[in-house]
Amino acid sequence: MTTPPALLIAGHGTRDDAGAEAFRDFVRQLQLRSGMPVAGGFIELSAPPLGEAVAGLVARGVRRFATVPLMLVSAGHAKGDIPAALAREKERHPGISYTYGRPLGPHPALLSVLERRLDDALGSSARSPEDRADVTVLLVGRGSTDPDANAEVFKAARLLWEGRGYAGVETAFVSLAAPDVPSGLDRCAALGARRIVVLPYFLFTGILPDRVRQQTEGWAAAHPEIEVRSADVIGPEPELLDLVLERYEEAVEGDLRMNCDSCVYRIALPGFEDKVGLPQQPHYHPDDDGHHGHGHGHQHGGHSHSHAH
């Protein structure tokens, strides 16, 4: 009987200790749930780095693994940094092989959790489409310099709106992309919103979700005529565990459906033409054994994003 590949979880990283520990605890939960070797590492900011996680699997006798990016959208990290880092680890550990899965959102299971977070924020007053008719949602993503990644947040917002009876679901970003949170709230108000729930499109707590809440509270204080509430992040829900294992199965079986139709590294999008075909380098993690990102470029011109196609 062939041993199934191990599971490697790739995280973004955060300066928030609680957020980093939430990731590490989630990896431990995956280990318990799946019964197979599971390791997790970060691209930046948090320990352990991804390279250390791979080394840990190799030390446990693992030679094959599937990598799932614990990220909601496919931006630069999922498209470039992680595949390049994995290519580097293959050179560091001759004889290993891996497949690479796709990011998590927008998936119906996550949309269900987001709906639950909205219900929690509203209390018992908006449990049905009829009750939600005066509720406007502002879905706030991380924000990226990659237009495809930002578009994915808009897609999630539209899917969240469909069939759930909210007055509307608008979109904003907490960094790197417009509109920012105050501008998003201004838009909701301009559209006539009188009840707004700000919903962070984040997996775990961290600096950026905290910033979303702070900016929301600041805007609400200046607009007392509008009811504004803050919802919680997605969190380590059973649906998230199941989804990661679903992405693992996709990667192992080769059933990968990553979206590349609007990838900035493949298609010349207006204002981003210089990115087409750019080689990708591993993201430098300061805790990664003194290796300073001198990985080999991972070219996006042919079959790229590692094994994601």
Side-chain angles (χ1 to χ4, degrees), residues 66-68 99-103 107 243 245-259 307-309:
T67 303
V68 175
T99 54
Y100 183 39
R102 59 183 174 135
H107 189 280
L243 176 54
L245 294 176
E246 182 180 318
R247 291 289 187 255
Y248 164 83
E249 293 292 342
E250 284 180 6
V252 170
E253 295 171 8
D255 181 25
L256 290 170
R257 292 165 283 186
M258 183 175 283
N259 167 37
H307 303 279
H309 299 282

Side-chain angles (χ1 to χ4, degrees), residues 19-233:
E21 182 53 33
F23 171 90
R24 292 188 288 263
D25 184 63
F26 185 76
V27 171
R28 290 189 286 268
Q29 290 183 52
L30 280 168
Q31 173 85 66
L32 292 172
R33 172 77 72 95
S34 67
M36 61 182 168
V38 180
F42 295 100
I43 292 298
E44 61 180 354
L45 302 174
S46 309
L50 195 62
E52 184 178 312
V54 173
L57 287 175
V58 171
R60 294 160 70 178
V62 168
R63 289 296 174 266
R64 297 189 306 133
F65 60 88
T67 303
V68 175
L70 200 69
M71 299 170 185
L72 289 167
V73 301
S74 186
H77 286 304
K79 290 179 178 179
D81 295 330
I82 296 172
L86 293 174
R88 178 180 62 190
E89 294 310 312
K90 197 170 185 338
E91 293 189 357
R92 289 182 180 176
H93 304 283
I96 68 170
S97 63
Y98 61 86
T99 54
Y100 183 39
R102 59 183 174 135
L104 304 176
H107 189 280
L110 293 183
L111 296 172
S112 295
V113 178
L114 290 172
E115 184 177 10
R116 203 155 67 233
R117 292 290 172 262
L118 289 169
D119 283 344
D120 292 343
L122 289 163
S124 59
S125 64
R127 296 290 182 177
S128 70
E130 294 77 16
D131 298 328
R132 295 169 174 175
D134 67 343
V135 174
T136 299
V137 178
L138 182 64
L139 185 70
V140 181
R142 173 182 295 273
S144 172
T145 55
D146 185 331
D148 184 36
N150 296 330
E152 284 292 299
V153 182
F154 275 82
K155 181 176 181 179
R158 181 69 210 191
L159 289 170
L160 184 64
W161 191 2
E162 294 280 353
R164 290 181 173 85
Y166 300 112
V169 181
E170 297 298 317
T171 309
F173 301 96
V174 72
S175 66
L176 299 174
D180 60 14
V181 175
S183 297
L185 286 164
D186 286 343
R187 175 176 172 80
C188 292
L191 291 169
R194 287 296 171 260
R195 302 181 72 205
I196 303 172
V197 181
V198 177
L199 177 62
Y201 194 44
F202 287 82
L203 293 174
F204 302 126
T205 56
I207 300 293
L208 294 180
D210 287 347
R211 188 181 301 164
V212 173
R213 185 175 289 266
Q214 291 161 4
Q215 292 178 353
T216 298
E217 291 171 352
W219 190 92
H223 298 79
E225 74 282 4
I226 300 178
E227 178 187 344
V228 184
R229 301 192 183 197
S230 290
D232 288 331
V233 296

